[in-house]
Amino acid sequence: MANFKRKYPLARLRRLRSTKSIRALVAENKLSTDDLIQPIFVKESLKQMEEIESLKGIYRHSEESILKEIEDLVKTGIKAVAIFPVIDNDKKDEKGTEAINEDNFLNNVIKKIKQNFPDILVIADVALDPYTTHGHDGVLNSDGDVDNDETIKILRDQALKLVQAGTDIIAPSDMMDGRIGVIRKALEEKEFKNTLLLAYSAKYSSKFYGPFKDAVESAKFFGDKTKDTYQMAVANIEEALHEVALDINEGADIVMVKPGMPYLDVLKAVKDKFQMPTFVYQVSGEYAMLKAAIEKKWLGDEVMFESLLSFKRAGADCILTYAAKEIAKNL
Ligand code: PBG
């Protein structure tokens, strides 16, 4: 701890800021490609990759173009990607049945990625929203609410199919109670002892996910339609710690806070309290805001790096960010 008896002019903190070199030497936090995970969208039946309007520089990839994209990412030194599928509308139903089809689009894409790039870590979400007509992360009961215990059985089966396809890191993003334990138990039983579980533990019911829903062409959640009965209330932080504790006890290897910048306090609290590998998701709305302001030249493009370094300072071990590739290229 600094000696606070020392006063000006003995203490001149500007000495340590006086040149670029000394600033580098005393930097408390650094960002490297090892800290970055690129989320990638891949769309079924798509011929040519298409840019997502609200996520400048980010594309819906075809089965072919995603391989080229991963090749580029590997060259930058990025070690992990999170793959999000956009599923044909005629394959969606109320129960998200296509999620547990071992021959579904995403499982086939993952197999191809792992055949071509065995070293890249593939992360896949466990949640039903890409597969349901209503866009919820689980199946609905007769009241129209997501049925927790029915949903986690389906999520368990979805997770097993993803692992069989070659997924390295299973990332339940659904916020059902008890899902980490159920998935961990199933993985143990099937001898998938080394499959990693990255739990979206403190996932808030946030409006910052808007552009993601455009990207995956999922049902819109505005007005009364929300995920408030399963995703966390924005007002709460103690509850976030409770969620993280449960997920660790149920067998999570890594915990995650999401969104990122509006929730740096949560990220710091989680890291300080549990000292577990802790990831953060800089979500689509955060990226879109920064990109829009950069495009208008209201902000310089260094803000993206600044936002990512702030996650490191708050305690993140790794960051899921749409800016991963562009930042990795400049590191
Ligand atoms: C699906 C999922 C969402 C995001 C990641 N996985 C959307 C949601 O829960 O509504 C959001 C990511 C982003 O906004 O970048 N469960």
Side-chain angles (χ1 to χ4, degrees), residues 240-299:
L241 299 177
H242 197 167
E243 282 284 5
V244 170
L246 287 169
D247 285 353
I248 294 169
N249 287 335
E250 289 177 29
D253 302 288
I254 305 165
V255 294
M256 186 147 71
V257 174
K258 176 188 174 191
M261 240 172 28
Y263 297 83
L264 286 181
D265 57 331
V266 180
L267 173 61
K268 175 147 179 57
V270 167
K271 186 65 182 178
D272 286 352
K273 190 164 174 77
F274 298 101
Q275 286 140 21
M276 285 282 287
T278 305
F279 290 8
V280 66
Y281 199 144
Q282 181 182 50
V283 299
S284 56
E286 300 176 66
Y287 173 86
M289 285 194 304
L290 293 176
K291 275 290 181 192
I294 292 166
E295 200 171 80
K296 287 202 175 285
K297 302 199 175 4
W298 291 345
L299 295 173

Side-chain angles (χ1 to χ4, degrees), residues 95-97 99-101 126-128 137-139 146-161 172 174 176-187 189-190:
K95 299 219 173 279
T97 316
I100 56 173
N101 171 7
V126 171
L128 298 184
D137 291 12
V139 294
V146 172
D147 186 323
N148 194 88
D149 298 4
E150 278 309 307
T151 296
I152 59 179
K153 290 183 209 154
I154 304 172
L155 297 176
R156 174 198 61 202
D157 294 346
Q158 180 186 24
L160 287 174
K161 300 286 156 55
D174 53 286
M176 295 303 115
D177 288 318
R179 88 274 207 224
I180 298 295
V182 165
I183 294 170
R184 174 57 79 206
K185 182 163 174 279
L187 291 173
E189 282 168 8
K190 300 276 189 237

Side-chain angles (χ1 to χ4, degrees), residues 315-330:
D317 295 293
C318 202
I319 306 153
L320 278 87
T321 171
Y322 298 95
K325 184 178 172 187
E326 62 171 86
I327 294 289
K329 278 188 185 160
N330 293 322

